[in-house]
Amino acid sequence: MNTPQNNINKHRNSVGVRIGQVNVGGGAPVVVQSMTNTDTEDESATVLQVAQLARAGSELVRITVNTAAAAKVVSAIRARLDDMDCHVPLVGDFHFNGHKLLTEYPDCAQALAKYRINPGNVGHGKKRDEQFAIMIETACKYDKPVRIGVNWGSLDPELLARIMDKNAASSEPKDAGYVMREALITSALESAAKAEEIGLSRDRIILSCKVSGVQDLIAVYRDLAACCNYALHLGLTEAGMGSKGIVASTAALSVLLQEGIGDTIRISLTPEPGGDRTREVLVAQEILQTMGLRAFAPLVAACPGCGRTTSTTFQELAESIQSYVRNQMIVWREQYDGVENMTLAVMGCVVNGPGESKHANIGISLPGSGERSVAPVYVDGQKSVTLKGDNIAGEFREIVDKYVQTKYPKKVANG
């Protein structure tokens, strides 16, 4: 059977990288990561947001380290998170002055679980090589993995000029898109080769080549995956806001993941003013779960509604149940094995309601327009009870709770 997971194992065998307690590549499940948008100098705000992202399910969290003041508080941020029993690995995002910050603030270098280096922002000419070497030597000293993250908005101008000149001299010059992709890949691979020459082993290197166009991202990662076995981080950079960012990221990453390309992902959504940063974590999880690659929380199937479903009851119940199981997963994850695989259905009329409900572990078919005011509930394909009255939502949640308690084995406490 040609399942997505089989595609991953068959299509590409990447070198495994250990980041704190998290395995990336080497056959490990695709890892979800995110990034704070707080000013890292604001220690309390950064601790709070990292904890929120980790609570939502981010398995790696990247923080900006751009100033001396930010570098000074990284070890304190790490300590406060550990005191909160939040042990998510922290990744330091460095641009322009990373070589200085990692050298001058060894506590920062030690506290971070991984460094992210952008070859286009390390320096130019001789300085570029020297400053890149300092960062890699620091990673070797503290045994830290490095993501060499190339971005089309900050390509090394000297490298880009070299690729463009080579293309212009060719008897059959390629288009600008091809040149850009070749420059991205060349930058990533040449930087990785230099890192290995300096002493960083291949199992401490992750590569990324980020662009903001869906087709460009698919093309560049297909080419990159074909010519190396480094672990790869996927993400559509500057994806955008709201549905545009979600749709574009899903379209690009789903194609690559289906082909077995990608070991860790981030959904780079622009949050609405005052919006919840954890949304990008949920989107990443839902991409992986709907593709059948991982399971994070019970999925709720719900019909879109039509003229038969004039009542908003089923919409409100679907939203209520989806929120409820996500919140409960924080508790269930610690207590029971396998709850994330549970499926639920909230349907709005008799057309597909009973059938869809029978396919789920637990399903409810609410009355549509002109139907009897009763809501049959199905458990593992069998009708269990019929709910009526004003407390259908509460009674349905009780059924879900009881199902979890009786169907999923309790975890054995360590020690």
Side-chain angles (χ1 to χ4, degrees), residues 186-204:
T186 300
S187 178
L189 294 180
E190 287 186 356
S191 297
K194 287 178 183 176
E196 289 196 61
E197 288 174 14
I198 294 166
L200 193 65
S201 60
R202 185 164 287 235
D203 65 353
R204 309 304 278 161

Side-chain angles (χ1 to χ4, degrees), residues 71-312:
K72 283 179 182 177
V73 299
V74 168
S75 60
I77 290 170
R78 176 73 275 164
R80 287 180 61 177
L81 288 166
D82 289 340
D83 288 343
M84 296 166 61
D85 201 27
C86 177
H87 304 295
V88 63
L90 294 178
V91 179
D93 193 57
F94 294 99
H95 297 275
F96 309 111
N97 60 353
H99 59 292
K100 289 184 178 179
L101 298 178
L102 286 171
T103 302
E104 295 173 6
Y105 299 95
D107 287 348
C108 169
Q110 180 62 55
L112 294 168
K114 185 180 79 170
Y115 310 151
R116 189 270 180 147
I117 302 174
N118 182 342
N121 290 337
V122 174
H124 302 292
K126 262 190 175 181
K127 281 189 176 181
R128 178 194 182 282
D129 293 340
E130 292 170 3
Q131 291 169 182
F132 181 80
I134 289 171
M135 299 182 77
I136 297 301
E137 287 165 359
T138 305
C140 292
K141 178 180 178 180
Y142 294 104
D143 192 26
K144 304 295 183 179
V146 170
R147 170 157 74 92
I148 296 172
V150 186
N151 192 300
W152 76 332
S154 52
L155 270 168
D156 178 0
E158 295 172 10
L159 181 143
L160 181 58
R162 168 161 55 94
I163 300 294
M164 291 175 67
D165 289 346
K166 178 184 173 183
N167 182 63
S170 171
S171 58
E172 296 182 7
K174 305 293 185 180
D175 62 27
Y178 178 90
V179 173
M180 181 271 294
R181 293 193 296 271
E182 184 176 358
L184 285 164
I185 294 170
T186 300
S187 178
L189 294 180
E190 287 186 356
S191 297
K194 287 178 183 176
E196 289 196 61
E197 288 174 14
I198 294 166
L200 193 65
S201 60
R202 185 164 287 235
D203 65 353
R204 309 304 278 161
I205 298 173
I206 297 174
L207 299 185
S208 67
C209 289
K210 288 192 173 184
V211 298
S212 58
V214 171
Q215 294 299 340
D216 287 326
L217 191 82
I218 293 170
V220 77
Y221 271 95
R222 280 174 172 166
D223 290 345
L224 180 62
C227 60
C228 76
N229 67 345
Y230 294 106
L232 300 181
H233 167 70
L234 298 186
L236 190 73
T237 192
E238 291 94 36
M241 295 183 72
S243 60
K244 183 269 177 185
I246 293 171
V247 170
S249 294
T250 303
L253 270 59
S254 296
V255 171
L256 293 167
L257 291 167
Q258 182 68 22
E259 295 178 4
I261 299 171
D263 302 292
T264 173
I265 66 171
R266 183 199 170 196
I267 308 302
S268 299
L269 296 180
T270 303
E272 290 79 4
D276 190 345
R277 189 67 166 181
T278 62
R279 190 181 189 192
E280 66 176 45
V281 179
L282 299 181
V283 173
Q285 290 178 330
E286 287 171 352
I287 290 172
L288 294 174
Q289 185 153 353
T290 53
M291 292 186 68
L293 298 176
R294 290 190 65 182
F296 298 94
L299 290 178
V300 179
C303 67
C306 67
R308 286 177 167 272
T309 55
T310 53
S311 168
T312 61

Side-chain angles (χ1 to χ4, degrees), residues 13 52 66 107 235 299 349 362 405 412:
N13 294 313
Q52 290 171 339
N66 59 332
D107 287 348
L299 290 178
C349 77
I362 310 170
Q405 294 163 9
V412 178

